[in-house]
Amino acid sequence: MITLNLNVNGKDHRLEIEDHMRLLDVIRGPLGLTGTKEGCGEGECGACTVILDGNAVDSCLVLAAQCEGKKIVTIEGLETADGLDPVQQAFLDNGAVQCGYCIPGMVLSAKALLDKNVAPDDNEIKEAISGNLCRCTGYDKMVKAIKTASEVMQERGEQK
Amino acid sequence: MLKRGRGIALSWYGTGYGNGFPDYSVATVELAENGEILLRVGATEVGQGSKTIMPQVCAEVLGIHSDQVHMICEDTREFLDSGTAAASRQTYNTGNAVLKASESFKKALLEEARLYLKLNSTAGLEMADQKIWLPIFPSRKTTFAELASHLKSEGRVLAVTDSFTAQTIGMNPETGEGVPYWPYTFNAYGTEVEVDTETGRVQVLQAWCVQDVGRAINPDLVEGQIDGGFVMGLGYALYEDLGVKDGVIKNNKFAKYIIPTAMDIPTIHKYIVEDPENTAPYGAKGIGEPTMVPVAPAILNAIYDAIGIRIFELPATPDVVLKAIVADREAKAKAAVAEGADANG
Ligand code: FES
Ligand code: FES
């Protein structure tokens, strides 16, 4: 057992965990945040994507012990008192969601991209979500949704 | 060398279980205590949108907003079975059951209103926005909520169930006669591809998907189905290979079983064709599977247009395409040598 300090969705946690646990296990297990999905468990599908210190990562490939003192954002952490995150809202408005299994990871990959580059072109968007597999939507409406979110975020940025 | 080509393919596809098999769906429409509507339907929502369009159908019949219809489809204690979310059948088959149940419910609700308003008949009663009234004597009026609390005071619940069974006639194996499916969905898809003749890699640059849907109950969802079907067809045509050998699946991981990513998708131009089917709920037909059918042939035809070689193996992965290109080159070289020998001799 080891002690792990994590900041998850803005809240500090001090956890006793097994040495071998993956970040994904900690998120879904002791933290109970089941919005993060396990698809393949080997870094191929992106269903387990979370944002770790600003970068989208496959939480199934990260050993929890490596995350001491780090900041993690999961899908549960995107909504604020002002409502849904612009990426979440844009996915809804564009009909970019079907079965939903890939969506938490997809939204977080898009969010990590837009936080770094608020005005990406189509290729940058496609590249940013290319590690997230979706069997249902054909990606087209997702790319459109991420463009919509980018526009909303740019407008908000200008207003500030 | 990069070579471009375009190809088209058309398909027609029978939806539902078909072949005389009884394809049965059932729905229950119930007045909730607050005057809103409960729609009990055993049609599984797997992302295709049945939980969106079934309430739309019910709301259309009752003249209310679809937000006022609450569909229950998760707990099998709460509704009757409406069959699988398969065979592209829910929109047509279960949609028809919802339509019939909603119409029967409307009749029953008007009858309750007649009794409550002490009228001779339901003739001339109007229903809209959760209200029922008699235009020739407007003070005779009530609301769904008022009727609901009246029913509750009498210890009654108004719930109406109705069903739909699709009409198909099994094929006679001797004569081939029958009507194996009803209805059929039609489409015409086109693609533009680029083939790299050095590597055999095929990329789809653009797609045009013209899809008959009967009637688009929810155009956004229809487009989503077209996108998803096209991209699944793209994977089938170019990437996805289970690699079954001696009954064992070799490609049993996403690292080896390659499905399209966002980087592989072309611009998809979508055209919805509405030609209402007269036995369907508001004319709407299913398109779940049909959207996938013409994709592989449209892509293979485009490859042929680009390089003049027919590919007969799926998926048309780079090694398959390259092998065909090399074989074609060798065959042409041999023919040239033979021709040269002929000319010299
Ligand atoms: S579960 Fe982590 S990438 Fe698939
Ligand atoms: S919405 Fe079903 S996998 Fe993406």
Side-chain angles (χ1 to χ4, degrees), chain B residues 182-210:
Chain B
W182 186 9
Y184 289 87
T185 297
F186 303 85
N187 55 22
Y189 284 16
T191 63
E192 182 179 40
V193 305
E194 192 170 78
V195 184
D196 184 333
T197 56
E198 305 295 317
T199 63
R201 182 167 182 240
V202 177
Q203 254 188 307
V204 180
L205 306 174
Q206 281 195 86
W208 295 266
C209 303
V210 183

Side-chain angles (χ1 to χ4, degrees), chain A residues 96-103 106 133-137 142, chain B residues 46-47:
Chain A
V97 179
Q98 289 188 33
C99 82
Y101 199 85
C102 69
I103 299 297
M106 196 66 82
L133 297 179
C134 175
R135 181 82 281 190
C136 307
T137 64
M142 292 174 164
Chain B
V46 286

Side-chain angles (χ1 to χ4, degrees), chain A residues 39-40 42 44-45 93-95 97-99 123 126-127 129-130 132-141 143-144, chain B residues 46-48 220 223-225 227-229 231-232 235 240 253-255 257 259-263 265-266 268 270:
Chain A
C40 62
E42 53 188 26
E44 291 290 338
C45 74
D93 294 344
N94 283 274
V97 179
Q98 289 188 33
C99 82
N123 282 332
K126 288 180 177 183
E127 199 173 335
I129 58 167
S130 63
N132 296 83
L133 297 179
C134 175
R135 181 82 281 190
C136 307
T137 64
Y139 306 105
D140 197 42
K141 285 181 185 289
V143 174
K144 291 196 179 109
Chain B
V46 286
Q48 83 282 38
D220 272 351
E223 284 186 4
Q225 295 275 292
D227 284 336
V231 173
M232 198 182 265
E240 296 177 35
K253 294 175 176 209
F254 284 130
Y257 186 85
I259 77 167
T261 73
M263 307 273 277
I265 60 160
I268 304 173
K270 289 155 281 221

Side-chain angles (χ1 to χ4, degrees), chain B:
Chain B
M1 207 196 301
L2 294 176
K3 288 194 161 180
R4 284 193 185 191
R6 289 179 168 191
I8 62 166
L10 322 179
S11 85
W12 63 316
Y13 188 90
T15 62
Y17 296 148
N19 241 334
F21 187 82
D23 192 330
Y24 172 85
S25 282
V26 58
T28 302
V29 180
E30 182 179 319
L31 186 63
E33 280 182 21
N34 64 357
E36 295 195 343
I37 300 297
L38 296 181
L39 177 60
R40 299 175 181 275
V41 187
T44 308
E45 170 63 84
V46 286
Q48 83 282 38
S50 60
K51 206 174 173 181
T52 306
I53 66 149
M54 301 302 167
Q56 280 185 264
V57 169
C58 177
E60 186 73 20
V61 172
L62 300 179
I64 57 180
H65 194 273
S66 58
D67 286 350
Q68 293 159 340
V69 180
H70 304 283
M71 177 160 151
I72 304 173
C73 65
E74 293 85 8
D75 182 344
T76 51
R77 285 173 302 189
E78 299 278 341
F79 46 75
L80 299 164
D81 184 11
S82 270
T84 52
S88 310
R89 62 180 285 283
Q90 290 293 3
T91 299
Y92 177 78
N93 291 68
T94 305
N96 260 328
V98 169
L99 180 75
K100 285 179 71 186
S102 302
E103 285 169 349
S104 303
F105 173 84
K106 184 176 179 179
K107 262 194 207 135
L109 189 63
L110 286 173
E111 177 59 18
E112 290 297 341
R114 181 189 76 77
L115 293 170
Y116 184 68
L117 297 173
K118 305 194 168 55
L119 297 169
N120 294 333
S121 138
T122 58
L125 277 175
E126 293 274 339
M127 180 187 288
D129 297 329
Q130 293 184 295
K131 297 188 186 83
I132 297 171
W133 72 98
L134 189 63
I136 56 166
F137 199 84
S139 62
R140 295 289 173 98
K141 60 175 198 281
T142 182
T143 64
F144 284 18
E146 199 173 62
L147 287 173
S149 63
H150 170 68
L151 283 162
K152 194 180 175 206
S153 72
E154 293 189 346
R156 292 193 294 139
V157 173
L158 185 68
V160 178
T161 299
D162 215 331
S163 68
F164 175 79
T165 303
Q167 187 71 281
T168 59
I169 298 170
M171 276 236 282
N172 180 327
E174 305 265 299
T175 63
E177 284 176 331
V179 185
Y181 290 95
W182 186 9
Y184 289 87
T185 297
F186 303 85
N187 55 22
Y189 284 16
T191 63
E192 182 179 40
V193 305
E194 192 170 78
V195 184
D196 184 333
T197 56
E198 305 295 317
T199 63
R201 182 167 182 240
V202 177
Q203 254 188 307
V204 180
L205 306 174
Q206 281 195 86
W208 295 266
C209 303
V210 183
Q211 180 66 54
D212 154 47
V213 303
R215 165 104 66 183
I217 291 183
N218 190 311
D220 272 351
L221 289 172
V222 166
E223 284 186 4
Q225 295 275 292
I226 295 174
D227 284 336
F230 182 84
V231 173
M232 198 182 265
L234 172 73
Y236 172 64
L238 297 181
Y239 312 118
E240 296 177 35
D241 184 7
L242 280 177
V244 182
K245 256 231 160 95
D246 302 326
V248 178
I249 293 173
K250 277 193 304 164
N251 300 330
N252 59 354
K253 294 175 176 209
F254 284 130
K256 293 196 277 182
Y257 186 85
I258 308 301
I259 77 167
T261 73
M263 307 273 277
D264 301 312
I265 60 160
T267 309
I268 304 173
H269 309 279
K270 289 155 281 221
Y271 307 90
I272 296 173
V273 176
E274 294 189 296
D275 179 16
E277 153 66 34
N278 61 12
T279 62
Y282 298 109
K285 300 186 289 190
I287 63 158
E289 296 155 297
T291 53
M292 227 178 302
V293 177
V295 181
I299 290 174
L300 294 193
N301 284 339
I303 295 175
Y304 176 69
D305 186 45
I307 60 172
I309 300 168
R310 285 269 170 218
I311 306 289
F312 292 104
E313 198 181 325
L314 287 182
T317 47
D319 57 313
V320 168
V321 175
L322 197 57
K323 213 165 65 194
I325 290 173
V326 169
D328 181 70
R329 206 179 285 149
E330 281 170 1
K332 280 190 181 135
K334 237 188 220 164
V337 169
E339 213 170 276
D342 269 4
N344 293 340

